[in-house]
Amino acid sequence: MKKIITFAGSNSKNSINKELAIYATTLVEDTEVDVLDLNDFELPLYGIDYEIEHGIPDNAHKFLEHIKSSNGIVLSLAEHNGAYATVFKNIFDWMSRIDGKLWSDKPMLLMATSPGGRGGTTVLEIAKGRFPYMGGNIVGTFSLPSFGTNFQDGTIINEELNAQLTEEIKQFQNSL
């Protein structure tokens, strides 16, 4: 059985991106899912002086090991001021110090959602442009706009958007 990891690029305890990521994994068949929470991998703010003095923290190594031991990644990025949430950028930076190709060419379904009508499309574009240089094998992308309107009771209620996600899931599933 294939093992996938899923997580949100957020440290919110009530992350809408985590809800979306978990929902998406319920659509992937015949897989074991490991749900990760960035709150369980607390890290100091990345800085070269810290790295020289203390080395790379264990939690960066642990998170990277989850990536490397998986067959695929489902990631939903929170968008803060048009970019990655600080907590995601920080773990991303720490892992890149261990392995510049940190995504390890694992098939990746990359998503974002937000309360607004753009659904995190700006952060998705940033990630789609950057991740391939870091070993990212993005096989599908999905943006869910207006989370509160389109996602209720653990599912996407907008049939058209749910169909779009289902198509992206098929691509992801076939790449595992």
Side-chain angles (χ1 to χ4, degrees):
M1 181 173 287
K2 302 285 184 172
K3 177 184 169 191
I4 60 175
I5 61 170
T6 189
F7 63 101
S10 169
N11 60 349
S12 170
K13 292 177 184 173
N14 299 309
S15 170
I16 61 177
N17 280 280
K18 186 174 184 180
E19 287 185 63
L20 176 60
I22 290 170
Y23 171 67
T25 62
T26 68
L27 304 175
V28 183
E29 298 174 352
D30 300 321
T31 56
E32 175 187 328
V33 179
D34 190 5
V35 179
L36 304 177
D37 188 321
L38 296 184
N39 290 303
D40 296 332
F41 298 89
E42 195 169 303
L43 291 164
L45 191 60
Y46 177 77
I48 190 65
D49 293 336
Y50 184 96
E51 182 183 349
I52 290 168
E53 188 173 331
H54 302 284
I56 298 172
D58 287 344
N59 276 341
H61 288 279
K62 288 176 185 174
F63 201 91
L64 187 59
E65 185 52 39
H66 282 285
I67 292 170
K68 290 184 177 296
S69 67
S70 74
N71 298 105
I73 303 162
V74 175
L75 167 58
S76 189
L77 292 166
E79 183 176 291
H80 291 187
N81 297 317
Y84 307 123
T86 303
V87 67
F88 174 78
K89 180 67 166 80
N90 194 46
I91 200 167
F92 181 66
D93 287 346
W94 275 115
M95 289 189 300
S96 74
R97 299 298 291 168
I98 302 166
D99 183 350
K101 301 287 186 183
L102 62 103
W103 298 120
S104 302
D105 294 314
K106 305 291 180 174
M108 178 183 285
L109 173 59
L110 190 58
M111 304 182 298
T113 189
S114 73
R118 291 185 32 82
T121 54
T122 303
V123 74
L124 272 180
E125 290 303 314
I126 293 169
K128 285 182 350 187
R130 185 75 211 129
F131 285 9
Y133 294 105
M134 312 295 284
N137 176 16
I138 302 167
V139 297
T141 61
F142 177 73
S143 168
L144 180 65
S146 306
F147 182 84
T149 302
N150 291 315
F151 193 96
Q152 294 175 8
D153 299 321
T155 189
I156 296 175
I157 60 170
N158 179 305
E159 290 180 25
E160 183 180 321
L161 290 169
N162 202 50
Q164 287 176 19
L165 176 58
T166 301
E167 285 303 310
E168 298 301 320
I169 291 290
K170 285 179 187 174
Q171 291 178 44
F172 177 70
Q173 179 98 48
N174 290 337
S175 68
L176 291 175

